[in-house]
Amino acid sequence: MTEFEKQSLDLETPDGRLSAAIWNRDALTAGSTPIILFHESLGSVASWRNFPKKLAEVTGRPVIAYDRLGFGQSDARIDKLPVSFVTDEAAWVIPTMQRVLSFSHFIACGHSVGGGMAVGAASIYPKQCKAAITMGAQAYVEDCTIAGILKARDKFRDTDALGRLARFHGDKTRWVVDAWIDTWLDPAFADWSLDRALDGVECPVLAIHGESDEYGSAEHPKLIAGAKGRAVILPKIGHVPHREAEAEVLKLIADFLNASLRE
C-alpha cells in the first residue's frame, strides 16, 4: 500500500458506528495537522471520489473523511434532523476522531452543508481548528436554495434517481433524501444561519463558490469569509467546485494552507 492509498476504519460512537477513511496516515503519525472532510447533504466518503487522495497528495497532509450517521456505510438512523444539526455535527465527531487517531489540531473542510459543518467545527474548537475551508456552502436559507431543493424533490420522485444514489447509501437512501429535503423545507429551519458560528471562528478561512451555484449566491462565501478570510468565486462553475474545477480547487487549498499554516 502506498502512503496515499485509502485506509478504512470504523469510529464507534454512543449513537452508532461511523464508517471513515484516512489518506496519508503516515503524515498524521509524523505530526502533520490533518484535513477533516465534511460531506454534503447527499454525500458520503465514496461520493468524494478521488478528491481526498489528491488533496493529500497536493498538500502532503493526512486527509480524513467519514460517512455521517445515517449516510453511506455508517449505521442507519430514523430520527428527524434537528434545526441545529449543521453546527452540532463537529461537537461529537471531532473528539471521536481525536480519540481513535490521536491528533489535537485539525483543518476543517466541507462541501455544501458540510461547509457549514466545517465552520461549526472552527467555532466549537477555535484553539484546535487551524483553518476552515468551504466549497459551495450556505450561510443562511436563501430563496434560490429553496428553489433548488424543490427541483431536487421532483427529481427524486423518480425511482431511477433514487437508484443511482443508492450505490452510495443502500437501503438508507430514502432517509438520506428525505432528511435533506424535509429539513431545508421545514418552516422551523427558515431562520437558520451560520451567524453565531461565524462569530466564534478565529482561524483563517477560505470560502470557494461557483458563480453558477444553483443552491446559493455569491453572498454566501462573502459572509463566510468575512473581513479576515478570502472568498473565491469561480466563473462558470456550479455547486460542486471540487469536481467541476478540481485542479483549480486543489491549488487554491494548497496555496491557502501553505500561506496560513506552519505545521
Side-chain angles (χ1 to χ4, degrees), residues 32-252:
S32 180
T33 302
I35 301 170
I36 298 175
L37 295 179
F38 296 88
H39 64 72
E40 44 110 349
S41 291
L42 303 180
S44 65
V45 171
S47 69
W48 285 109
R49 302 183 185 179
N50 289 324
F51 182 74
K53 180 180 179 181
K54 292 180 179 179
L55 185 60
E57 290 172 341
V58 76
T59 64
R61 295 181 180 277
V63 174
I64 304 165
Y66 76 105
D67 295 333
R68 299 204 307 272
L69 194 65
F71 297 77
Q73 301 303 308
S74 291
D75 284 350
R77 61 187 297 181
I78 58 172
D79 59 321
K80 180 179 178 180
L81 296 177
V83 171
S84 59
F85 82 100
V86 178
T87 49
D88 284 351
E89 179 70 16
W92 64 283
V93 169
I94 297 296
T96 299
M97 290 183 178
Q98 290 173 322
R99 184 175 64 253
V100 173
L101 293 169
S102 300
F103 65 87
S104 56
H105 299 105
F106 63 90
I107 297 157
C109 177
H111 170 232
S112 193
V113 75
M117 292 173 180
V119 171
S123 178
I124 295 168
Y125 302 106
K127 303 305 180 186
Q128 298 178 57
C129 187
K130 295 300 183 181
I133 302 158
T134 68
M135 301 177 290
Q138 301 87 23
Y140 61 96
V141 182
E142 193 175 27
D143 288 347
C144 66
T145 312
I146 297 301
I149 291 171
L150 288 171
K151 185 176 180 180
R153 183 177 65 180
D154 292 338
K155 168 187 169 184
F156 282 110
R157 288 181 176 139
D158 181 347
T159 55
D160 288 342
L162 280 175
R164 288 189 292 272
L165 191 62
R167 72 185 190 271
F168 297 118
H169 305 290
D171 58 9
K172 298 187 288 290
T173 302
R174 184 74 259 176
W175 180 89
V176 168
V177 172
D178 289 345
W180 173 44
I181 293 172
D182 292 350
T183 299
W184 282 82
L185 297 184
D186 188 336
F189 199 70
D191 293 329
W192 170 86
S193 78
L194 286 178
D195 289 351
R196 182 174 297 179
L198 286 167
D199 286 343
V201 174
E202 299 179 4
C203 65
V205 176
L206 172 64
I208 302 170
H209 205 82
E211 178 186 49
S212 303
D213 191 324
E214 63 270 37
Y215 292 104
S217 70
E219 289 304 307
H220 295 275
K222 292 175 184 176
L223 284 170
I224 292 169
K228 297 180 181 179
R230 182 188 178 199
V232 178
I233 314 298
L234 300 178
K236 301 179 181 180
I237 296 299
H239 186 56
V240 194
H242 61 284
R243 191 172 302 154
E244 300 172 57
E246 182 181 67
E248 186 172 1
V249 168
L250 287 168
K251 186 177 188 305
L252 281 168

